Amino acid sequence: FISMWASAGQFFSACALTVMFIYVTSLILMQGITGELQQNPVALDEEAKQQVTRLYGSIYKSMLTLFWTISGGMEWSEPSELISGLDPFLGAVWLLYMSFTMFGL
């Protein structure tokens, strides 16, 4: 029990780092998606726009999507293909996010 209590600080630090990284990444993705759709409103068809709204419509939805993809709750190809088709830079951000969380955290 003492060893579990002693490692609780490191555990909560790792959780906080993960949440902060997910938050910052979702802000970057949401800002990029919004900017891209404002500059080019016909970049996506109606079904794809609904998917973007479902996956990235708010900070909560965006963070949940990012968490699901790293935890196995969602196949990460669907949200990443949607982002990459919209803007290659956002696709690179997505790839860096997945790489860092899978191999770095």
Side-chain angles (χ1 to χ4, degrees):
F1 180 75
I2 293 172
S3 63
M4 285 180 19
W5 183 256
S7 64
Q10 288 86 8
F11 174 73
F12 290 120
S13 295
C15 288
L17 178 65
T18 303
V19 169
M20 286 190 304
F21 189 64
I22 289 173
Y23 179 73
V24 169
T25 304
S26 49
L27 285 178
I28 292 169
L29 290 176
M30 286 183 63
Q31 183 69 29
I33 291 167
T34 303
E36 189 64 33
L37 289 177
Q38 285 178 350
Q39 288 179 0
N40 189 6
V42 293
L44 296 174
D45 61 355
E46 195 59 38
E47 182 181 337
K49 284 183 184 178
Q50 289 176 355
Q51 274 188 309
V52 166
T53 303
R54 182 177 60 89
L55 296 174
Y56 302 101
S58 67
I59 290 291
Y60 174 75
K61 289 179 182 179
S62 182
M63 288 180 69
L64 197 57
T65 298
L66 294 177
F67 178 74
W68 282 343
T69 57
I70 62 170
S71 65
M74 175 185 277
E75 191 68 34
W76 65 274
S77 60
E78 178 190 348
S80 69
E81 288 173 0
L82 190 62
I83 294 290
S84 297
L86 190 60
D87 185 9
F89 173 75
L90 295 176
V93 169
W94 180 268
L95 182 63
L96 288 172
Y97 163 78
M98 286 302 293
S99 299
F100 183 73
T101 54
M102 296 306 281
F103 302 119
L105 290 176

